[in-house]
Amino acid sequence: MVVAASVFLFMASGCNKQDPYAPPDLFYYFASYKVGKNPTTVVTTDVNQDGFTDVITTNIGSNTLSILLGNGDGTFLDQIQLNVCKEPRSLALGMFNRDSYPDVALACSGGDEVAILFGRADGKFEEGPRYPVHRTPIAIASEDLNGDQALDLVVALRNDKIKVFLGTGTGEFTHRAQYEYGDTPTSVAMADLNGDGKIDLAVTNGGPMSNAVSIWAGNGDGTFRPPTDYRTGKRPLGVSFADFNRDRILDLLVINGQQDSFTTFLGVGNGTFQPGRDSGADAGPNFGFARDFNGDSRIDVAIVNLQSSDLSILFGRGDGTFEYPPRNYRTKPGPFALATFRVTTKEAEEPGLVTADNGNGSVSVFLHRGLKAVHTPVVPSP
């Protein structure tokens, strides 16, 4: 009787055992395109205003910008490569001179300057003003900080400084506040985090003395109040915003360069955040952002992993936590940055992803399996 009871209990527990989580396979590799040497940033926009998404990369190894004009089906024309400044590290898009073409602000880390480029109808850019900074600009973001309907800039400098430039609306900027704080800022992002109608600032500090994200409340005039720090994982590299728990309050996503993790901070609603919660990624996460990829109204996370050369999709549970394991997709060597875009076809429109392959001098396109592509996937010749 004892043996029979033991067998029954074993079988009963076996029946109740939950199957391991299998993440959905939503994306597939579609094509790669050559860009300049060692791309560090990739962004998507409609450069020439033809209704199709285009791609821009900063190429730190060749001192260039690459523009790939989109065909509207996930394919792109061969790059237009422009010589810009010394070691362009990152960029911010915006309508800086208020015409109909997007402009670019470059953080030129090797030249200790911010360079402005003005968009043109042919998909190229013309050189605008340059502004010296001290020193080594590493990240840049654009928002209207003072409510004058002109975009402004915030630049993170490697020597523990944050620099503000106020825009005039004509494509020119004026030097304004500079703050010294933290330890080796690595990224900047801006949004209204406390609901007062004024833009606030989030900065990741990747140095060993900090390992924190700093939240700076904005005053509405281009200045900020002293920050509040939130402890992250080791060597935070990037910060962005999303609503992970569907409470209509912005939360934080921080990518940690060491210990293969990312951290989410749930917002309280007044510009403060709950303590961070770490989740696992693959080896060497370098950049990520949050979107709903599977249409369940829960925010997911996409991350490129520099050391393991892959793209990880982690599916959200709707409470700031994520299913595990992630769905990983092999990339070209050294994926450094990531962007999303809308792929327009005759039948469907689904999100695509594009990676900046730092070790391969390329960008790679991943398309959503829900997309009914018009053209057969091809790999363009270099």
Side-chain angles (χ1 to χ4, degrees):
M1 293 295 295
V2 175
V3 173
S6 299
V7 171
F8 176 80
L9 289 173
F10 175 79
M11 293 177 64
S13 63
C15 290
N16 293 331
K17 184 178 180 181
Q18 186 175 2
D19 292 333
Y21 172 73
D25 184 12
L26 296 185
F27 292 91
Y28 65 96
Y29 169 80
F30 183 70
S32 291
Y33 297 86
K34 296 302 293 182
V35 295
K37 186 177 180 181
N38 303 124
T40 52
T41 306
V42 59
V43 298
T44 55
T45 186
D46 186 357
V47 173
N48 55 358
Q49 298 297 287
D50 63 353
F52 299 142
T53 299
D54 310 309
V55 169
I56 304 174
T57 66
T58 56
N59 310 311
I60 199 169
S62 56
N63 302 324
T64 61
L65 201 72
S66 291
I67 304 114
L68 296 90
L69 299 180
N71 296 313
D73 58 2
T75 68
F76 296 85
L77 300 178
D78 289 341
Q79 66 170 322
I80 302 167
Q81 195 167 166
L82 305 177
N83 293 316
V84 285
C85 59
K86 187 174 181 181
E87 297 180 5
R89 176 61 177 79
S90 65
L91 68 83
L93 291 171
M95 300 293 191
F96 300 135
N97 58 359
R98 293 177 175 167
D99 65 10
S100 57
Y101 301 103
D103 309 311
V104 167
L106 289 170
C108 304
S109 60
D112 294 337
E113 63 182 354
V114 171
I116 308 300
L117 304 176
F118 297 123
R120 305 190 319 200
D122 60 0
K124 298 181 181 179
F125 292 86
E126 63 184 40
E127 187 173 345
R130 299 191 179 200
Y131 302 94
V133 292
H134 185 74
R135 63 185 170 78
T136 315
I138 194 70
I140 189 167
S142 176
E143 273 287 358
D144 180 5
L145 298 178
N146 56 356
D148 64 354
Q149 309 304 310
L151 287 175
D152 310 305
L153 301 173
V154 173
V155 187
L157 308 178
R158 188 63 94 183
N159 61 340
D160 306 340
K161 293 183 176 64
I162 301 295
K163 174 69 178 178
V164 177
F165 291 89
L166 293 185
T168 63
T170 64
E172 297 182 341
F173 295 85
T174 59
H175 289 264
R176 288 302 174 93
Q178 181 166 290
Y179 301 92
E180 184 168 0
Y181 184 82
D183 182 15
T184 315
T186 52
S187 72
V188 292
M190 292 187 282
D192 180 5
L193 299 176
N194 55 7
D196 66 355
K198 302 170 184 177
I199 296 296
D200 309 309
L201 175 65
V203 180
T204 49
N205 296 285
M209 301 301 292
S210 181
N211 290 321
V213 58
S214 301
I215 304 300
W216 304 65
N219 293 315
D221 59 358
T223 64
F224 297 91
R225 296 193 284 279
T228 300
D229 285 354
Y230 295 87
R231 192 75 175 175
T232 66
K234 286 193 174 181
R235 197 168 169 257
L237 296 176
V239 59
S240 56
F241 309 111
D243 181 7
F244 289 112
N245 57 347
R246 299 181 289 184
D247 62 356
R248 300 185 179 181
I249 296 171
L250 284 180
D251 310 313
L252 301 180
L253 168 66
V254 176
I255 307 300
N256 304 312
Q258 293 182 6
Q259 295 186 340
D260 305 337
S261 71
F262 64 96
T263 308
T264 52
F265 297 85
L266 297 182
V268 176
N270 59 358
T272 66
F273 296 86
Q274 298 177 26
R277 182 179 296 174
D278 288 350
S279 301
D282 214 337
N286 197 71
F287 186 91
F289 63 82
R291 294 287 189 281
D292 178 14
F293 292 118
N294 59 351
D296 64 355
S297 299
R298 300 173 181 177
I299 297 298
D300 313 308
V301 170
I303 297 175
V304 285
N305 304 292
L306 190 60
Q307 294 177 17
S308 52
S309 288
D310 60 4
L311 162 66
S312 297
I313 310 292
L314 293 102
F315 294 96
R317 296 187 179 118
D319 60 358
T321 66
F322 301 86
E323 303 288 355
Y324 199 84
R327 174 66 67 177
N328 293 329
Y329 299 92
R330 194 71 180 168
T331 67
K332 301 294 183 182
F336 205 85
L338 176 69
T340 186
F341 65 98
R342 303 302 299 186
V343 183
T344 302
T345 71
K346 294 179 181 178
E347 299 182 37
E349 187 175 3
E350 294 287 349
L353 299 173
V354 57
T355 63
D357 310 318
N358 184 269
N360 196 57
S362 65
V363 293
S364 295
V365 177
F366 292 81
L367 293 186
H368 199 286
R369 292 191 185 279
L371 175 69
K372 298 178 178 65
V374 174
H375 296 296
T376 303
V378 294
V379 178
S381 58

